[in-house]
Amino acid sequence: MNTSTIESPPHSKNAPLASALSLVVPGAGQLYLARRNRGLAILATTPFLIYLINWALTNFRMESIAVWLWLGLALFWAWNVFDAYRLARGQTTVDWLGLILPLIVIYLISWQVTDINLDRLVKRFSDVQVVFKALMYPDLFTQVDGSWQPSENFGDIIGKIVDKPAPGWLVQLGLAQKDAKVPTPVLGKMAETIAIGLMATLLAILLAVPLSFFAAHNIMSRVPGGTVIYYAMRAFLNVVRSIDTMIWGIIIVVWIGLGSFAGTMALTIHSIAALGKLYSEEVEHIDAGPIEAITATGANLFQVIRYAVIPQIIPPFLAYTLLRWDINMRMATVVGFVSGGGIGYFVVETIYKGAFEQYAAAFWAVVIIIILVDYVSAKWRERILAGEVKVTAAAPKPFYTSLRALTWLVIGLAVFVLCWQLSEIDPRKLFEPAPTFVKNIRDFVTIDLSPDVFDTVLKQTLITIFQALLATTIGGLLAVPFSFLAARNLMGANPLAQVIYYFVRGALSVLRSIEVLLYVLIFVIWVGIGPFAGMLALAITSFALIGKLFSEAIENIDPGPSEAIAATGATGLQVIMYAILPQIIPPFVSYLIYQWDINIRMATIVGLAGGGGVGFLLKTYFDLLQYHKAGTVVAMIVVVVTVMDFASAKIRERMV
Amino acid sequence: MLKVENLNKVYPNGTVALKDVSFEVADGEFLAVIGLSGSGKSTLMRCINRLIEPTSGRIFWDGTELTALSADEMRKVRRQIGMVFQQFNLVKRSSVMINVLSGRLGYVSPYQSLFNYFSSADHARALKNLERLGLREKAYVRADSLSGGQQQRVGIARALMQEPKLILADEPVASLDPVLSHSILKYLEQMNKEDGITVLCSLHFLDLVHRYSTRAIGLKEGKLVFQGLPQEIDDAQFKTIFGQEAERVTIL
Ligand SMILES: Nc1ncnc2c1ncn2[C@@H]1O[C@H](COP(=O)(O)OP(=O)(O)OP(=O)(O)O)[C@@H](O)[C@H]1O
Ligand SMILES: [Mg+2]
């Protein structure tokens, strides 16, 4: 619509003809004037809008705004005629109208479709007040006989000491009597959650590393038939990745039943795909020089891999793994919603019971753990990628001779064993599915495409897309002012500004540490079940992430241009216009598109907790054991997410 | 002695990189390979140790026909042929020491080397070679923390670890400034004179050819167009190798 700004040769004589063409078929006039992109965009937008308006009017009650929708379309049509006329006469036209009018129509529809009722936020605030109040008084300690002690709830979340029959080895060692009760620590839901996240990451590495080589073009193009494997592997990884961890959770439960193991498996499957893709991109970026050099010394294939390939890929692999670990820890806090196990299951239970103080304790435990993990993972990544350069005269000792390294090794092994138990990993279960499993799978892959089901799925999918659109918009708009407050370079001026800076940064971190599904639970209490709750939850998480990214973009502003513009005698406003804005608008837009991509994925699952959209439909079909229809939903999600992913990547590529 | 007979190389995409190239290099020579960018210098070097498989032609080294060897036999011969690269080709994230030691890989037991184990004799040899190139104190820093000239010296140290009889140096100084160029070439000259290692070195500047080489060959579009003493490259010869428009430039 407003993409091409290059002046084309004037066609001044044909102005009436161009406008007539555009009047009959929008975009035709522009095409006739050889403005291909503009013409095609208008040509595609018009039927799309007509379809959308029609769809909205038949599926939802929005007679009250029907007039406005059609008016928007009519104005767009008129603009297109006007545009053709002006273009033909070689005059400038109003590009932005062509973008704004369809957007107005789309936003009007989104507003209605996602069932936005701002008054509910006010009227029903009393309903959610209890939750907010509870957040101030989490159930962690109780007063017993005048002294404070960890409460039952604290024990459930963090851990407690219970008397249990002595384990065999204690008896063997003569430290306990047979059948005697000894105090044994029992770890709580939070430890289980950490174990799930950790084990899923470890298992995912094991599988993602070999797969990534099959998905690396530079390797597969050397093997006969490799290109085919390469494309198949890439497609496979993309499909698996486009199905959210939570949805994998639902599917896995059908296979191995509820429990921590199911959660671990769901996280593992999604991580394999995500890591496999990132790893393979790293493999593709390997520098061929060292490989050539090591080969030239007469080394054999394994030595070449050991000395030229592995040293190159280990640091980026580690960095990506740490990033994934961070994501997995977050997902582990909610995967229990659908698969059982971990703090997620606990949270759902407390909410449904209305035990908000208990919920609050879990909430804060999650916040603390996630912020910690986030910090540790970021620090490690920084260290790995920077790679310290140590100048030492002597050779470093091999690691196995250092006591510290040995201690860490032992601790690591102990943690591994503990996590293995906590996450209830039991590979045998994978081979003993329920008797109906094969039939269920068959149902699932033979998707139901009857018009009825398809229309229902399409309707919910569109709602999901609109939710993501609105959430990105609202989150982005909110983030702009706050990102300035969270930019260190702007807020370092005086103590008050610094306090604001730390406060906003901290608040963004806390908001960011909570998974969207946990927000959905709160908003469902507040505004009721439905797409509105899901949209609000997505808006909050978007706000938190975009706020952080925007503020970092502001911190990265190069002061050079401001100086240069100021040196020309420009005013402050001019400096902002010409030196600051051009530097921050491209990253802002790029982050918005990135967030929109994330939100599309997230919007597919908000329904699992009552946030409306396609996730709700999926859960219903699974609960009713209608696996054909569930298959339709998953297929639709794969298509939508893949298309959006591709589109957003292409747009961002063009922007950079 | 190295002998190249009717060597041809056609890349899979149809590019003819070498056309019927034949020449001989006696032991102890410092042979300069000159030619424009794209004339086939790198291809020639890589055909000699068969990092690239020649399309046809034969290569003899010390009486062995390299072009007839199996992959495993060729691997063993490569141990005697050190290679130095324009882009240094160090493993950047590994330490200098590991990079130098990796020159020994063809000799050590593959299983031990998988665990980064090298004998103390190899360690001593590596330190001695680093000492020789003036890099003893950089042994345990990461390779990418070194400057370009230092990295190239590490590259030479790695080649020396092979105890080579022949060094193939593919534009070893093309990424370096003139002062460093001389320092690197002096090291190669030292290896050539003191250790009697035969050196094949592709170079861009005629001055460097005159200063360091004992003999030179010139390539143009994959064909051998000159063979003789460096001093014999007069203006006419120069124009055949580098084209009519070329101008002689002098560095330092
Ligand atoms: N892998 C390859 N596939 C196809 N063509 C190649 C390949 N490598 C080199 N060539 C071509 O072969 C010809 C000779 O290349 P070569 O790298 O040997 O030249 P060079 O003399 O070393 O040049 P430079 O000074 O730029 O390094 C060039 O035309 C080049 O484009
Ligand atoms: Mg070359």
Side-chain angles (χ1 to χ4, degrees), chain A residues 193-194 197-198 200-201 267 271 275 318-333 366-381 509 512-515 545 548:
Chain A
T193 308
I194 295 174
L198 208 58
T201 313
L267 261 72
S271 304
L275 281 179
L318 269 181
Y320 280 132
T321 310
L322 280 169
L323 189 66
R324 187 65 209 182
W325 174 57
D326 186 343
I327 296 173
N328 278 347
M329 292 302 285
R330 290 161 186 271
M331 290 316 294
T333 63
V366 168
V367 169
I368 291 170
I369 289 291
I370 296 300
I371 288 183
L372 260 176
V373 167
D374 196 333
Y375 178 81
V376 170
S377 146
K379 272 278 166 278
W380 268 356
R381 288 203 307 271
S509 295
R512 218 156 21 88
S513 65
I514 302 293
E515 270 303 303
L545 183 59
K548 172 177 181 259

Side-chain angles (χ1 to χ4, degrees), chain A residues 157-223:
Chain A
I157 295 173
I158 309 293
K160 55 192 163 196
I161 308 239
V162 259
D163 288 336
K164 277 195 172 179
W169 57 272
L170 261 186
V171 181
Q172 297 262 303
L173 285 174
L175 293 172
Q177 299 267 292
K178 201 164 187 299
D179 298 331
K181 301 262 180 185
V182 291
T184 320
V186 176
L187 288 169
K189 291 293 169 196
M190 213 52 226
E192 203 174 297
T193 308
I194 295 174
I196 293 175
L198 208 58
M199 289 316 293
T201 313
L202 287 177
L203 291 178
I205 302 173
L206 287 184
L207 281 156
V209 170
L211 288 190
S212 67
F213 285 87
F214 290 106
H217 197 253
N218 54 343
I219 294 202
M220 296 317 281
S221 60
R222 294 180 189 188
V223 189

Side-chain angles (χ1 to χ4, degrees), chain A residues 229-400:
Chain A
I229 302 178
Y230 161 78
Y231 282 113
M233 189 53 83
R234 269 285 151 109
F236 171 73
L237 292 179
N238 276 335
V239 168
V240 174
R241 212 164 45 93
S242 65
I243 301 172
D244 192 88
T245 308
M246 298 297 287
I247 298 177
W248 278 117
I250 305 182
I251 298 174
I252 289 296
V253 165
V254 178
W255 187 353
I256 52 180
L258 283 171
S260 294
F261 184 38
T264 313
M265 284 306 295
L267 261 72
T268 307
I269 292 175
H270 195 262
S271 304
I272 289 173
L275 281 179
K277 172 164 183 276
L278 294 171
Y279 286 172
S280 66
E281 280 163 5
E282 245 359 277
V283 173
E284 286 178 349
H285 288 138
I286 288 180
D287 177 5
I291 297 178
E292 197 178 25
I294 302 286
T295 312
T297 66
N300 68 22
L301 181 67
F302 293 106
Q303 290 172 322
V304 171
I305 293 177
R306 168 68 183 78
Y307 284 87
V309 179
I310 291 185
Q312 287 193 55
I313 57 176
I314 283 210
F317 272 33
L318 269 181
Y320 280 132
T321 310
L322 280 169
L323 189 66
R324 187 65 209 182
W325 174 57
D326 186 343
I327 296 173
N328 278 347
M329 292 302 285
R330 290 161 186 271
M331 290 316 294
T333 63
V334 288
V335 74
F337 276 43
V338 294
S339 67
I343 196 95
Y345 192 60
F346 180 85
V347 162
V348 176
E349 275 187 321
T350 51
I351 285 276
Y352 289 162
K353 276 193 303 199
F356 295 129
E357 276 93 6
Q358 294 176 16
Y359 167 76
F363 182 94
W364 289 116
V366 168
V367 169
I368 291 170
I369 289 291
I370 296 300
I371 288 183
L372 260 176
V373 167
D374 196 333
Y375 178 81
V376 170
S377 146
K379 272 278 166 278
W380 268 356
R381 288 203 307 271
E382 227 171 70
R383 266 177 56 177
I384 287 169
L385 291 181
E388 304 132 281
V389 179
K390 270 190 270 165
V391 184
T392 43
K397 286 196 191 119
F399 82 99
Y400 46 81

Side-chain angles (χ1 to χ4, degrees), chain B residues 11 13 15 17 36-43 86 171 204:
Chain B
Y11 281 108
N13 66 3
T15 314
L36 279 176
S37 181
S39 58
K41 302 182 296 291
S42 302
T43 308
Q86 174 179 353
E171 302 191 33
H204 259 114

Side-chain angles (χ1 to χ4, degrees), chain A residues 10-22:
Chain A
H11 292 256
S12 32
K13 295 197 189 86
N14 307 322
L17 177 58
S19 12
L21 278 173
S22 278

